[in-house]
């Protein structure tokens, strides 16, 4: 299974800045058969960057999308409109759930919409510090996982990428702390067991699981060697060229 390095640029970089940064990244990295490098710029930058990027080196992702294909939804962008521009779509990120009040219903419908439009959904899962403290992590993740996949056929589950990003480990949160590799191993193991019990072991083994939350060059190697982790989601590290490319090189060494 290939490894993924996904850079979520969030609400950073203008269109021009995004273009310059992508150009520099394309100059610095090589095409790897076993590593998929993905960047998720803002909506306004996606179309021009889709004409600029070399998809052998870097694929594009949308940071979110509408669960509907078309209609009178002012300000929304659908997977139908993104088809051919992006290869991936981030869905259910904690910031979208909390700040934009995306519902479980919208999230599972968006996962299905992405697959329907030949876009790979990256479904985010993650618990708060309070939920972890009270022993609710598995219940929360089970609901997010099975709820997010509930409108996807069994045949299409293998087209989904999962991303475990505990909210308490995101660098922009006030209570941020770094997740240990053992904590990540426990959760990814639980996610795979849940997939196996619901869809069978073959599907559970085929679905990539990424980890995100405070990932930096100093800890990327440790996370990438956790059994069952198939890549990383980067936030602030993806905005700094030296750090982004260093983490890609670390991934290459780990997968060699």
């Amino acid at each position: 299974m290939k490894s993924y390095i996904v850079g979520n640029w969030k609400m950073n970089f203008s269109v021009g800045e995004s273009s310059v940064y992508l150009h520099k990244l394309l100059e610095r990295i090589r095409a790897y058969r076993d590593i998929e490098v993905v960047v998720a710029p803002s909506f306004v930058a996606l179309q021009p960057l889709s004409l600029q990027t070399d998809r052998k080196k870097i694929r594009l992702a949308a940071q979110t999308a509408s669960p509907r294909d078309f209609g009178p939804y002012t300000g929304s962008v659908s997977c139908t409109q993104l088809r051919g521009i992006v290869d991936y779509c981030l869905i259910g990120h904690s910031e979208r759930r909390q700040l934009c009040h995306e519902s479980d219903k919208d999230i599972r419908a968006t996962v299905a919409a992405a697959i329907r439009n030949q876009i790979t959904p990256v479904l985010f899962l993650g618990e708060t510090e309070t939920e972890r403290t009270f022993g609710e992590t598995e219940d929360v993740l089970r609901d997010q996982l099975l709820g997010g996949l509930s409108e996807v056929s069994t045949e299409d589950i293998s087209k989904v990428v999962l991303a475990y990003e505990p909210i308490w480990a995101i660098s922009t949160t006030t209570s941020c702390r770094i997740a240990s590799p053992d904590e990540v191993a426990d959760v990814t193991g639980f996610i795979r067991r849940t997939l196996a019990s619901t869809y069978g072991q073959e599907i559970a083994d085929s679905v990539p699981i990424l980890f995100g939350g405070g990932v930096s060059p100093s800890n990327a190697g440790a996370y990438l060697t956790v059994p069952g982790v198939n890549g990383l989601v980067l936030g602030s590290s993806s905005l700094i060229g030296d750090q982004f490319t260093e983490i890609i090189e670390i991934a290459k060494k780990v997968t060699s």
Side-chain angles (χ1 to χ4, degrees):
M1 187 185 297
K2 70 175 68 174
S3 293
Y4 297 79
I5 302 296
V6 180
N8 181 8
W9 293 357
K10 304 190 179 184
M11 199 171 67
N12 294 288
F13 297 149
S14 66
V15 174
E17 290 167 341
S18 297
S19 177
V20 170
Y21 185 47
L22 180 64
H23 177 74
K24 291 179 179 178
L25 287 176
L26 289 169
E27 287 185 326
R28 298 178 67 170
I29 68 174
R30 295 183 289 126
Y32 294 122
R33 181 178 298 178
D34 50 357
I35 298 177
E36 184 96 305
V37 179
V38 182
V39 297
S42 61
F43 273 131
V44 293
L46 280 174
Q47 197 278 333
L49 264 57
S50 73
L51 302 177
Q52 175 185 346
T53 194
D54 178 350
R55 292 194 177 189
K56 294 180 181 178
K57 293 183 177 182
I58 296 178
R59 303 286 183 127
L60 295 181
Q63 295 180 16
T64 186
S66 170
R68 305 169 182 87
D69 286 341
F70 57 86
Y73 304 104
T74 301
S76 298
V77 178
S78 71
C79 289
T80 303
Q81 294 169 314
L82 292 167
R83 184 175 178 176
I85 296 175
V86 303
D87 293 293
Y88 295 87
C89 182
L90 313 187
I91 301 173
H93 190 282
S94 60
E95 291 164 355
R96 298 294 305 179
R97 293 178 190 261
Q98 294 180 330
L99 301 179
C100 301
H101 309 293
E102 287 187 355
S103 68
D104 293 338
K105 178 180 179 181
D106 284 342
I107 289 167
R108 61 177 177 261
T110 307
V111 171
I115 293 174
R116 186 166 63 245
N117 286 282
Q118 287 75 59
I119 295 171
T120 300
V122 182
L123 175 62
F124 279 74
L125 316 171
E127 81 283 13
T128 66
E129 180 66 18
T130 298
E131 289 166 341
R132 171 166 280 270
T133 299
F134 284 95
E136 299 170 352
T137 295
E138 292 188 357
D139 291 336
V140 169
L141 298 182
R142 184 185 297 106
D143 288 347
Q144 292 176 348
L145 174 63
L146 300 182
L149 298 178
S150 62
E151 293 189 16
V152 180
S153 67
T154 302
E155 292 75 17
D156 285 337
I157 296 294
S158 59
K159 298 176 182 178
V160 177
V161 174
L162 301 176
Y164 171 56
E165 190 172 79
I167 297 169
W168 46 268
I170 298 175
S171 60
T172 54
T173 57
T174 55
S175 60
C176 173
R177 70 175 179 83
I178 301 299
S180 71
D182 286 343
E183 288 175 316
V184 177
D186 288 343
V187 171
T188 53
F190 167 75
I191 292 171
R192 291 206 185 275
R193 290 193 300 274
T194 302
L195 287 171
S197 65
T198 307
Y199 302 105
Q201 193 63 52
E202 183 176 355
I203 289 178
D205 292 339
S206 70
V207 175
I209 301 178
L210 318 183
F211 172 73
V215 177
S216 67
S218 64
N219 59 29
Y223 291 135
L224 286 168
T225 55
V226 171
V229 171
N230 307 110
L232 302 171
V233 179
L234 316 179
S236 57
S237 292
S238 72
L239 304 175
I240 304 170
D242 289 344
Q243 293 189 18
F244 198 6
T245 53
E246 184 177 354
I247 290 171
I248 294 170
E249 288 302 316
I250 291 170
K252 177 57 180 175
K253 292 177 182 178
V254 170
T255 56
S256 295

